Amino acid sequence: MNTQTFTNSGMQTSGASFVSMVENLVAGEHLEKNPWTPDAMWHNIANQTIEALVTRGELRRQEADVILGVTRLEDLRTVFDCPEPSPIWRCIYTTFRLTASSAFGETKAEIRNIMARRAVTTKQFSFMLGVLVDRDVRRPKARKEPGARRPSSLQRARNAFGDGGFLVEDVPGRAWFPRYEPLPKLLDLALAGDRNARITLIIGGGFALMMDGYLTRDRESKLFEGSAPFRGSPPAILTDLASHEYGLRVLASAWQHWEATAPAHEYDIPMINADGSLVITGDTRETRVPERLTEYRL
C-alpha cells in the first residue's frame, strides 16, 4: 500500500511505502528508548529487504505479499500451485524465492546495503529467514508449557535458524525448484532420488521439526526429559536425515503430523519404524499408544 499525494495538475504520484514509514517510526522508538532484540532487528531488516527486492524488480508485488504474510494461507494457490494452503508451503516458497540460484546473492546484497556491512553470513541470513517463515505460527508456538522450565518451541526454533536452520549445502545459491506435490508423492519422489523433492522435504520436514523444538542449535547440552546430551547443527542433522530412506521417512512423518495451530507440548509427533509405520508402546490394549518422537531419538 502506498501513500498518495496530489500535484498541482491533479495527478496522483506514489509516495513512500506506508510499510516503510511504519518500520522507520518503530525503529526510531527502539533507537531512543528500548534497544532492539535480535529477533525484532532482523524482522525489520527482512521487511526492508523484501521491499527493496520489489523496487529492483527481483520480486513481483504478489510474490512479496506471500513472503510477508499479506496473502492469506487460503489464497496461496493464487500465486503458486501448492497442494494445500499451509505455513509449510509458504515457508518452502519463501525459501525458494530468496535462496535459489542468483536470488541468494541478490537478497544478501540488499541486506548488506541496509545494514551497511561488507558481508552477511549464511547463519545471519538463516536467522532472518526464520523470522519471515514463522509469521503464521508465532502465537501458538510461543506458548510455554505451564510450570515448565524449558523455553517455548518458538525460541528454540529461532536458535535453530541462527545456527543455519534448513539451509543445507544444496539450498543457498544452488539451482533447485520446489516440487509442489502431495506429501505421499513427494516422499516417493525423494526416495526415488529426485533432488528437488529431497530439498523440498528437507525444508518442509525441517521447518516442522524446528518449530516444535526437536532441532535446535549445536550448543548447551540440556537436561530436560527426552533431550540429547550431544547435538549437531540443524543443517548437519538434516543433511544426514536426507541421505537415507529412514531419515526421509522421518522428515515426511514430522511434516505429516505437525500441527500449526497448537504448541508442541499439546500434542506429539510420533516415532516411526524404518518402514514408516508407527512405533507402538504399551503392554495392554488400553495402554498401547504411539511412541513420542524426542530430541534424543531424532
Side-chain angles (χ1 to χ4, degrees):
M1 177 170 62
N2 292 331
T3 58
Q4 301 291 328
T5 58
F6 290 86
T7 63
N8 292 334
S9 61
M11 296 179 62
Q12 288 184 334
T13 59
S14 295
S17 164
F18 178 73
V19 174
S20 298
M21 293 170 61
V22 172
E23 293 287 350
N24 290 335
L25 287 172
V26 172
E29 286 294 305
H30 282 283
L31 182 65
E32 296 296 332
K33 298 178 182 178
N34 300 316
W36 286 100
T37 64
D39 309 59
M41 180 188 75
W42 282 103
H43 184 273
N44 184 50
I45 292 169
N47 289 340
Q48 293 186 56
T49 298
I50 300 306
E51 293 298 332
L53 291 171
V54 172
T55 300
R56 286 183 50 193
E58 302 294 345
L59 285 176
R60 293 183 290 113
R61 182 74 261 171
Q62 189 180 36
E63 295 171 328
D65 286 347
V66 171
I67 294 171
L68 293 174
V70 176
T71 303
R72 299 177 302 173
L73 286 174
E74 54 265 35
D75 296 331
L76 290 183
R77 289 193 180 99
T78 63
V79 182
F80 64 101
D81 190 24
C82 60
E84 60 178 349
S86 73
I88 289 181
W89 282 114
R90 192 199 297 270
C91 169
I92 292 168
Y93 179 83
T94 298
T95 304
F96 167 66
R97 293 300 291 119
L98 298 183
T99 69
S101 302
S102 61
F104 183 57
E106 292 160 356
T107 306
K108 287 180 70 174
E110 292 300 335
I111 300 172
R112 290 197 302 268
N113 290 338
I114 292 168
M115 301 184 70
R117 288 186 177 180
R118 289 186 177 182
V120 174
T121 68
T122 299
K123 287 186 177 182
Q124 289 172 325
F125 188 102
S126 176
F127 191 90
M128 186 201 77
L129 184 62
V131 298
L132 277 174
V133 299
D134 69 13
R135 292 176 188 265
D136 293 313
V137 297
R138 286 176 189 164
R139 182 168 295 178
K141 300 304 180 182
R143 295 206 301 268
K144 291 181 61 177
E145 184 175 3
R149 295 182 295 124
R150 162 175 272 187
S152 70
S153 66
L154 178 66
Q155 184 56 56
R156 284 176 277 154
R158 295 271 172 86
N159 292 340
F161 277 109
D163 200 19
F166 46 61
L167 294 188
V168 300
E169 185 177 356
D170 281 347
V171 173
R174 303 296 182 90
W176 63 277
F177 194 89
R179 293 299 301 260
Y180 297 120
E181 303 287 353
L183 186 55
K185 183 176 180 180
L186 183 67
L187 175 59
D188 288 341
L189 290 170
L191 292 173
D194 187 301
R195 176 174 173 271
N196 288 324
R198 182 176 60 84
I199 292 173
T200 305
L201 198 55
I202 287 174
I203 297 171
F207 178 73
L209 289 170
M210 287 191 292
M211 292 311 306
D212 273 9
Y214 292 99
L215 280 180
T216 187
R217 60 188 171 186
D218 181 19
R219 58 182 289 191
E220 297 178 3
S221 296
K222 303 193 308 188
L223 301 177
F224 301 105
E225 184 270 332
S227 64
F230 49 85
R231 184 181 294 137
S233 67
I237 295 174
L238 290 172
T239 298
D240 182 64
L241 287 172
S243 68
H244 51 84
E245 178 179 343
Y246 180 50
L248 290 170
R249 292 190 183 278
V250 169
L251 290 171
S253 176
W255 182 341
Q256 177 186 356
H257 294 96
W258 183 72
E259 296 184 16
T261 59
H265 62 269
E266 290 185 2
Y267 72 102
D268 295 333
I269 291 178
M271 190 64 195
I272 62 170
N273 295 304
D275 62 355
S277 61
L278 300 182
V279 176
I280 303 297
T281 60
D283 298 327
T284 64
R285 179 179 300 177
E286 291 75 15
T287 61
R288 288 177 65 80
V289 294
E291 183 177 341
R292 180 174 62 93
L293 178 68
T294 65
E295 182 185 351
Y296 183 89
R297 291 295 301 269
L298 180 65

